[in-house]
Amino acid sequence: MKTNIFGLDTEGLAEALKPFKLPAYRTKQIAEWMYQKGAVHFSDMTNLPKKLREELEAAFDINRAKLVEQWDSSDGKTSKYLLEFNDGVAVETVLMRQPYGNSVCISTQAGCAMGCAFCASTVNGVARSLTRGEMLAEVLFIDDLLKKEDKKVDTMVLMGSGEPMMNYDEVMAFLHLMHEPYCKNFSYRNVALSTSGVVPGIYRLMEENLPITLSISLHAPNDTVRDKIMPVNKKWKIAEVVKAGKLYGEKTKRRVTYEYILIENVNDGEEHARELSHLLHGQLANVNLIPINPVTERALFRPSAERIQRFLDILTRQHISATIRKEMGTDIQAACGQLRNQYMKENDA
């Protein structure tokens, strides 16, 4: 059985290639072929001797991801891809064409175990965590598409299916690999990582001392509301989460984003806005208000435009930096988990 080497850094590659007794520069060549030039067969690596290419082809695989389904928004700005890995597990990856560049939203797990009431990713639980190579395959799939337009991935958000902090080691290995010059030379400053409030993970990330933007899915101003819609709050209460976010901002000098999904008659009242203002007062932070994306499996609804605007106005008057997220891909169910759930239903039928 052949070994998959896609996702290895040069150190891991050197270890895998030891039996071939290759000079050190060959390791970097192979990495560049896989990660920069998109090679999936050793026969494509033309600066390697032909005999070596044949030997490597017999010993190793370069497994990436296969496109299963694609949805494109009517305005052409958002595309959602269902990508399948070798074991049949599928995940969603989204390309968002923003005014400031192309952003890719990747999944870190297939499904999610966090159980948030408003999220489609949790409906079928978590199948498994993704490897660093599988996360990289998501990005390179999008990057290969953009190359045809003489464009590239400019920013990356780890906000798709899954909780990155529950797959911490592989997520960090993936980010380090993306940053390597022989891979994508991707700046940490162009990365945003979202967590549902796994406090130990926030502190671990803070100690990495990397300029990664942290997004915290808050979605409530108090424990009573958050307990109902986010089971994670029963382990790490809202005060602990906000304290961790505050310390992260102070240490990294990066503005923390608090994601707040507005749900009609659940967390969108004027008293909720005032409470949220008090909770975040004095923080280096921004609130990203997100009108809920309808999920058929959940009976939660979007507030009216008037209620959304009133919520924003209260935050602004209290000197809390806040914006309403510009919606992209609503017509293709671009919220994470929805395409995968449909695919699972069709394949179970």
Side-chain angles (χ1 to χ4, degrees):
M1 185 175 176
K2 295 200 283 186
T3 302
N4 176 35
I5 60 170
F6 188 84
L8 295 181
D9 58 16
T10 48
E11 189 176 314
L13 267 177
E15 184 64 31
L17 295 168
K18 259 185 183 178
F20 297 88
K21 297 182 170 57
L22 302 179
Y25 72 89
R26 291 294 188 201
T27 300
K28 186 181 176 187
Q29 285 179 325
I30 293 169
E32 289 173 344
W33 273 108
M34 288 194 299
Y35 305 139
Q36 293 182 357
K37 300 174 184 177
V40 293
H41 299 289
F42 291 96
S43 57
D44 299 327
M45 302 181 186
T46 51
N47 57 355
L48 271 59
K50 185 180 179 186
K51 185 173 184 298
L52 175 60
R53 282 181 264 162
E54 291 170 352
E55 290 173 346
L56 294 176
E57 194 74 52
F60 301 114
D61 278 323
I62 302 172
N63 292 333
R64 287 186 46 172
K66 180 180 72 176
L67 177 64
V68 176
E69 196 164 342
Q70 174 179 346
W71 288 359
D72 299 300
S73 64
S74 55
D75 62 9
K77 294 180 180 178
T78 307
S79 295
K80 186 170 188 176
Y81 306 92
L82 188 66
L83 303 179
E84 187 179 71
F85 301 115
N86 268 23
D87 63 353
V89 165
V91 299
E92 292 159 85
T93 307
V94 181
L95 168 62
M96 295 166 285
R97 300 172 187 272
Q98 308 274 17
Y100 53 79
N102 298 296
S103 184
V104 59
C105 177
I106 73 159
S107 297
T108 56
Q109 296 180 302
C112 186
M114 304 313 287
C116 299
F118 47 79
C119 183
S121 294
T122 68
V123 171
N124 293 298
V126 65
R128 64 172 176 81
S129 291
L130 301 188
T131 66
R132 64 199 76 179
E134 289 168 336
M135 287 179 268
L136 180 60
E138 293 183 71
V139 180
L140 295 195
F141 176 84
I142 301 294
D143 209 48
D144 285 349
L145 293 177
L146 290 172
K147 278 179 186 174
K148 297 171 186 175
E149 306 171 23
D150 199 26
K151 296 176 182 175
K152 62 183 176 63
V153 172
D154 298 295
T155 59
M156 177 173 64
V157 295
L158 282 68
M159 297 182 184
S161 293
E163 166 55 68
M165 298 304 190
M166 303 306 277
N167 189 20
Y168 187 91
D169 292 337
E170 287 298 308
V171 165
M172 291 312 302
F174 154 66
L175 293 177
H176 289 314
L177 181 56
M178 279 282 292
H179 185 68
E180 291 289 353
Y182 58 80
C183 190
K184 300 310 293 181
N185 199 26
F186 202 82
S187 172
Y188 294 120
R189 293 185 181 278
N190 295 333
V191 176
L193 183 150
S194 178
T195 177
S196 61
V198 179
V199 170
I202 296 173
Y203 285 121
R204 283 185 74 184
L205 185 63
M206 185 169 65
E207 293 306 316
E208 301 280 352
N209 203 26
L210 299 174
I212 293 170
T213 298
L214 177 68
S215 290
I216 297 176
S217 295
L218 197 62
H219 307 316
N222 59 56
D223 288 324
T224 302
V225 175
R226 204 165 188 262
D227 279 347
K228 291 177 182 175
I229 60 176
M230 297 185 72
V232 68
N233 199 66
K234 292 170 183 172
K235 190 162 189 179
W236 295 291
K237 294 298 183 184
I238 204 165
E240 298 175 77
V241 174
V242 172
K243 179 184 176 183
K246 185 173 187 291
L247 290 172
Y248 186 91
E250 290 172 352
K251 182 174 176 65
T252 64
K253 304 297 188 287
R254 303 285 289 178
R255 184 180 292 272
V256 173
T257 296
Y258 288 96
E259 307 281 348
Y260 195 101
I261 287 180
L262 287 165
I263 309 169
E264 186 180 47
N265 297 325
V266 174
N267 64 354
D268 66 331
E270 293 183 23
E271 71 280 8
H272 296 126
R274 286 190 286 270
E275 200 171 356
L276 182 62
S277 300
H278 179 73
L279 183 68
L280 300 181
H281 180 73
Q283 272 213 43
L284 180 64
N286 177 69
V287 177
N288 192 9
L289 298 174
I290 310 163
I292 190 171
N293 231 332
V295 178
T296 55
E297 296 89 348
R298 311 292 192 190
L300 298 173
F301 305 100
R302 174 181 299 226
S304 66
E306 292 75 19
R307 284 178 72 88
I308 293 168
Q309 187 61 47
R310 193 179 309 130
F311 199 99
L312 174 64
D313 290 343
I314 291 170
L315 294 182
T316 303
R317 285 199 299 271
Q318 297 298 319
H319 308 291
I320 300 296
S321 174
T323 54
I324 299 172
R325 177 184 284 179
K326 181 183 176 185
E327 294 186 275
M328 298 186 72
T330 304
D331 60 325
I332 58 166
Q333 300 183 68
C336 55
Q338 293 177 320
L339 180 53
R340 179 173 181 267
N341 289 348
Q342 178 180 308
Y343 174 72
M344 291 177 71
K345 282 179 186 175
E346 290 170 353
N347 281 270
D348 286 342

